[in-house]
Amino acid sequence: MEQQVALVTGASSGIGEQTALELLRHGFVVYGAARRADRMAAIVGAGGHAIAMDVTDDASMRAGVEQILAAHGRIDVLVNNAGYGSYGALEDVPIDEARRQFEVNVFGLARLTQLVLPGMRARRSGTIVNISSIGGRIYEPLGAWYHATKFAVEGLSDSLRVELEPHGIRVVVIQPGAIRTEWSAISRRSAIERSGSTAYAAQARALVRALEAADRSTGATEPHVVAATIAKAAGARRPRTRYATPLSAKVIVGLRRVLPDRAVDRVIRSVFSPTKEELAEAQHAEAPHADDVDRTGV
């Protein structure tokens, strides 16, 4: 049987890197893609390939797909893993940053899928694995833009699943929970940078505390656990439509299905409510917005 070829984006660290390594162990020909190919030495060392790809750059994505097709004539599995968390109050986050969040987390995913679909349709076979998050089912204060992208990935994937089923192509959503990667540090830093000295400062500090606690909790796990789930889905003849992982993520997604919105709101408020110390610290740090001046009459 001919080896299947997989393309994994965001493969320079975390879930993407571990997924590439796991797929190699399962016998796939694997191409890891990231903006910096030199950060994928572990994948190359394990027998995989590294290609430079920026999912916000159409020419970069085209060139990567063409390189793989020229070498192997096929891409059997696409793992759309590239993404990041941009946090901060909606009022504070510049709209250009919000657009970039969608460019990376949604439009890059969609465009790369467009590029691999013709070959998959021609063979009437293929698997698209979209990395969402439990954040595509639940929500947090100061996470509006990030959660909007993951809710979008969920809806896009559902439509795509039924759209592509007649063509023999499977679409799977992976919903990681608390995973110990650099994602959390980037998200925490963005929350403080955007809202750490605004009217939302206390909430930003509470968010940072909650994300740090999640990383330390027994419910958090390492990226290889998610990678094993992705490899399982990629190799299945009839994969499930969604995989929440680890167990703590399954519990959270399950509770979201059965609890009414107001009940979930209360849980969210209890987790992300600022302490007295955080409120006091925020009062000292808060500064007025430059955009608070009303210029409509100028």
Side-chain angles (χ1 to χ4, degrees):
M1 182 178 177
E2 192 172 4
Q3 275 186 297
Q4 289 199 315
V5 180
L7 169 59
V8 182
T9 66
S12 60
S13 64
I15 292 171
E17 179 185 64
Q18 291 301 313
T19 296
L21 295 173
E22 186 71 17
L23 289 172
L24 282 167
R25 286 191 284 269
H26 280 72
F28 285 79
V29 175
V30 177
Y31 281 77
R35 285 180 297 174
R36 290 183 53 184
D38 61 327
R39 293 187 62 188
M40 294 180 283
I43 294 170
V44 174
H49 308 268
I51 53 176
M53 181 184 292
D54 183 342
V55 297
T56 67
D57 183 330
D58 195 75
S60 170
M61 288 186 282
R62 282 182 174 275
V65 170
E66 288 169 3
Q67 178 182 337
I68 299 170
L69 293 179
H72 304 280
R74 59 194 293 158
I75 296 174
D76 299 284
V77 176
L78 170 62
V79 181
N80 281 310
N81 170 70
Y84 74 107
S86 182
Y87 278 68
L90 187 139
E91 183 179 351
D92 296 332
V93 176
I95 205 68
D96 284 346
E97 170 58 20
R99 289 193 181 100
R100 182 174 183 273
Q101 179 89 145
F102 268 86
E103 285 290 342
V104 175
N105 291 7
V106 182
F107 296 120
L109 173 154
R111 179 58 179 141
L112 195 53
T113 300
Q114 285 182 329
L115 292 172
V116 304
L117 281 178
M120 289 184 175
R121 278 193 300 100
R123 294 189 307 278
R124 297 191 59 79
S125 176
T127 303
I128 308 292
V129 181
N130 290 333
I131 310 304
S132 177
S133 165
I134 58 171
R137 289 302 197 196
I138 63 168
Y139 44 91
E140 301 156 303
L142 280 69
W145 288 116
Y146 171 71
H147 289 282
T149 65
K150 292 305 183 180
F151 272 69
V153 167
E154 296 272 343
L156 181 151
S157 300
D158 284 338
S159 291
L160 195 62
R161 185 176 64 254
V162 294
E163 183 174 300
L164 295 180
E165 186 178 16
H167 303 281
I169 302 167
R170 299 167 291 278
V171 178
V172 178
V173 171
I174 306 294
Q175 298 169 319
I179 309 298
R180 298 185 183 100
T181 69
E182 63 184 15
W183 179 95
S184 181
I186 292 170
S187 301
R188 298 194 306 265
R189 184 167 62 248
S190 65
I192 293 299
E193 288 175 353
R194 302 297 184 191
S195 296
S197 59
T198 75
Y200 303 92
Q203 290 168 282
R205 286 164 172 73
L207 174 73
V208 168
R209 171 173 46 80
L211 292 179
E212 288 175 340
D215 270 357
R216 295 191 302 267
S217 72
T218 57
T221 192
E222 303 300 326
H224 68 83
V225 174
V226 184
T229 301
I230 294 169
K232 177 182 177 181
R237 290 185 60 189
R238 186 175 173 78
R240 300 206 303 266
T241 60
R242 280 177 173 78
Y243 295 81
T245 184
L247 177 61
S248 57
K250 296 178 184 178
V251 172
I252 291 170
V253 171
L255 288 173
R256 182 65 186 101
R257 281 198 295 265
V258 299
L259 290 176
D261 289 347
R262 295 298 185 190
V264 176
D265 285 355
R266 287 194 293 271
V267 173
I268 296 295
R269 280 197 298 269
S270 70
V271 173
F272 295 97
S273 179
T275 64
K276 290 180 180 179
E277 291 78 12
E278 287 162 346
L279 288 167
E281 187 179 355
Q283 286 178 346
H284 291 293
E286 185 180 338
H289 284 242
D291 293 336
D292 282 346
V293 179
D294 185 357
R295 297 183 174 86
T296 57
V298 176

